[in-house]
Amino acid sequence: MAGNGALSGAVIAVAGAGGPAGRATLLRLAEAGATVVGADNDPERLAEAVDAARYASGGATVTGEPVDLLDLDSTRDWATHIEKDFGRVDGLVHLVGGWRGSETFIKSSLDDWDFLELLLIRTVQHTSLAFFEGLQRSERGRYVLISAAGATKPSAGNASYAAAKAAAEAWTLALADAFRKAGGADGPKSAAAILVVKALVHEAMRTERPHAKFAGFTDVRDLAEAIAGVWDKSAAEVNGKRLWLTETP
């Protein structure tokens, strides 16, 4: 994981960097030689994740700041000053998550939809709009969305969650089409890709439930590896693609 590959010298923004998947991603990108700029709505959690990645990667450039991704102007300001501070932006990894469900379809709460629409859709809209031009200016721009298999095969009790994930995927595929059109006959220079998991698992979950099998779950370290791998492929190979990390429904 020396910093001499596709990510060496890249500048990558990570939205939702304070959670377990964010921590693993910050570390993996830093170890690959990238400059990593994290954002989260929890300043304390973000600071811990940034410090951990910086320390474990041997002092790589890992920074973080609280950003209100539900505010388009704030998100645009974040994208703008990343380019100003580091000269460019080569990626946005969208790890903002959240889940609410119900026992049955008829018990679905539209309050859950309102909550998930903000977290899972609005943050995708704002980050993609804010970072599009910067990613298009990059020679290796990537927008990476983490999605769930439930978007393809919804279950009765997960209607709001699955619908929100499906909408986020559709928005990201529209972004991919914008990259395709911008590339013209030469093909896309930048790309938007979707990594699909069933669910994520990390060490704390295994400690809390030592006998659980977590069948089909993706470890956050494996997710981070797959995220880094998006830069190993050409834009044409990954643009507009769903890259499955679990069994396809």
Side-chain angles (χ1 to χ4, degrees), residues 30-105:
E31 287 179 331
T35 291
V36 193
V37 186
D40 199 272
N41 63 357
D42 185 326
E44 183 176 346
R45 186 174 70 166
L46 176 62
E48 291 174 355
V50 166
D51 288 345
R54 189 183 294 142
Y55 176 79
S57 62
T61 301
V62 184
T63 64
E65 64 182 273
V67 179
D68 183 4
L69 297 177
L70 295 179
D71 183 271
L72 181 56
D73 289 337
S74 295
T75 310
R76 282 182 165 146
D77 286 345
W78 183 45
T80 297
H81 83 66
I82 289 175
E83 274 201 276
K84 182 179 179 181
D85 292 348
F86 299 104
R88 66 189 178 281
V89 60
D90 302 300
L92 185 289
V93 180
H94 187 279
L95 289 169
V96 180
W99 178 85
R100 287 187 182 180
S102 59
E103 294 178 11
T104 64
F105 177 79

Side-chain angles (χ1 to χ4, degrees), residues 159-220:
S160 292
Y161 177 77
K165 281 293 191 182
E169 287 194 7
W171 186 275
T172 303
L173 294 175
L175 171 63
D177 192 52
F179 284 138
R180 180 188 64 80
K181 289 178 177 177
D186 294 332
K189 186 176 69 172
S190 297
I194 300 167
L195 297 180
V196 186
V197 301
K198 175 182 178 181
L200 295 173
V201 62
H202 52 85
E203 281 307 308
M205 291 172 63
R206 291 193 175 96
T207 300
E208 291 170 5
R209 300 171 59 193
H211 302 296
K213 297 187 182 298
F214 298 106
F217 284 38
T218 299
D219 189 282
V220 292

